[in-house]
Amino acid sequence: MSFKSNNKSGFTLVELAIVLVIIGLLVGGVLQGQELIKQAQIRSTITELSQFDTAVNTFRAKYRQIPGDISKAAAFGLNCPDVGAVCTTTTENMSITTTAGADGLGGDGDADGSLESSTNTATAATRFDCFSGEIANFWTMLSNALLVKGGFYQVDDCDGVTGATLCASAPGVNMPDAPVGKGAIALTEGGRLYYVLGTAGSYVTSGLDATGSTNLTSNDLTPDDAFAIDSKLDDGVGSTGVVQAISQYSSAAPWGLFTRVTGGTAVTDCHTTAGVYNLTNDGNLCTLKVRGSS
């Protein structure tokens, strides 16, 4: 009787240990790489905000008013694709409106130091309800003045009624495409300029909610993203300072005020009541307002 020898052998403990170490190194390298990419995106976002500030200050020094709010945009040719070009009905690319006396008509603002939509009427009841008028023209003017990269435009007739469905905004088209937070929307509060990050480029246009506020809660920033931006630019606390988490933008008296996130204990909150960002949740929970230097 003969026996066949079995030469098959499994991995030794040493070999298994080496394989596990290699797998661990690969996983660690991937995670570290992702973290480096995220940090680079945060730095790029902060750099971009600084560039916006420089562009706005340059614009203000030349035209004496902030972009979008300037009262003689058409006279300066800022409502045309190229500065100094002759404006026609086919070349004008500003946010227009059919509402008499509204901001943004023909590209001109009212020079009151506030950015308003094209639905700004005498009652001011809906003056901030959509991405149009001065709010949209802010980026178009900076673009036409060759102070920011990209050709941003808004051609929709957004009058708040018949044109309400045409007021949607998109990053890279109507506003800069931010490395994090998708896009930046420029709004004002108390005469100060703010950049809003984390709205997913969607300034809600389908009317106001029951409290009379324009909804800004289509969040796109994770608490980790928000904390990184806040801690690099401010105090790292979501409820205080020049960088804060917000939920709405008031269209009721006294108009044009951000509604600050109060925070809570739920894991779905952007931050706690004390302003501590909820870093245990990697969901898109936060929208930030970042105060500009202008």
Side-chain angles (χ1 to χ4, degrees), residues 5-275:
S5 62
N6 188 351
N7 294 323
K8 294 182 179 179
S9 62
F11 290 107
T12 66
L13 291 177
V14 173
E15 290 171 333
L16 286 174
I18 293 174
V19 170
L20 291 175
V21 169
I22 292 174
I23 292 175
L25 291 173
L26 290 174
V27 172
V30 170
L31 294 177
Q32 183 64 26
Q34 291 175 337
E35 179 62 23
L36 290 174
I37 291 173
K38 174 58 68 175
Q39 290 303 315
Q41 291 174 332
I42 295 296
R43 288 194 298 271
S44 294
T45 298
I46 293 173
T47 298
E48 191 174 65
L49 291 175
S50 177
Q51 291 171 344
F52 294 159
D53 255 358
T54 299
V56 172
N57 289 329
T58 301
F59 186 99
R60 196 168 196 168
K62 182 174 182 178
Y63 300 108
R64 306 302 180 190
Q65 292 158 351
I66 62 173
D69 191 45
I70 185 171
S71 59
K72 297 181 180 180
F76 287 119
L78 291 172
N79 61 334
C80 298
D82 298 298
V83 175
V86 177
C87 297
T88 68
T89 56
T90 57
T91 62
E92 182 179 307
N93 67 342
M94 301 299 281
S95 176
I96 59 175
T97 179
T98 56
T99 305
D103 287 350
L105 184 62
D108 283 342
D110 60 3
D112 66 349
S114 174
L115 295 176
E116 296 123 356
S117 73
S118 58
T119 58
N120 180 27
T121 61
T123 61
T126 58
R127 67 195 304 186
F128 305 106
D129 72 340
C130 65
F131 188 86
S132 70
E134 295 178 347
I135 295 171
N137 293 348
F138 177 91
W139 295 113
T140 305
M141 287 187 186
L142 282 179
S143 174
N144 290 349
L146 308 179
L147 293 174
V148 294
K149 296 179 180 179
F152 306 114
Y153 64 91
Q154 183 78 14
V155 297
D156 299 329
D157 181 7
C158 178
D159 59 13
V161 183
T162 59
T165 59
L166 300 177
C167 304
S169 55
V173 177
N174 311 116
M175 68 186 75
D177 191 0
V180 294
K182 295 292 179 66
I185 296 174
L187 295 172
T188 50
E189 180 182 53
R192 296 299 301 262
L193 178 66
Y194 287 84
Y195 305 106
V196 178
L197 299 174
T199 63
S202 178
Y203 191 114
V204 176
T205 62
S206 58
L208 309 177
D209 67 6
T211 61
S213 296
T214 296
N215 189 7
L216 290 172
T217 55
S218 53
N219 307 310
D220 194 64
L221 287 175
T222 66
D224 191 61
D225 292 338
F227 173 70
I229 294 172
D230 196 334
S231 60
K232 290 182 183 299
L233 292 176
D234 194 25
D235 56 7
V237 179
S239 56
T240 60
V242 297
V243 179
Q244 294 183 24
I246 57 173
S247 62
Q248 295 174 325
Y249 191 58
S250 177
S251 293
W255 303 303
L257 298 179
F258 291 103
T259 302
R260 182 173 60 81
V261 172
T262 57
T265 58
V267 294
T268 54
D269 290 321
C270 176
H271 61 66
T272 67
T273 54

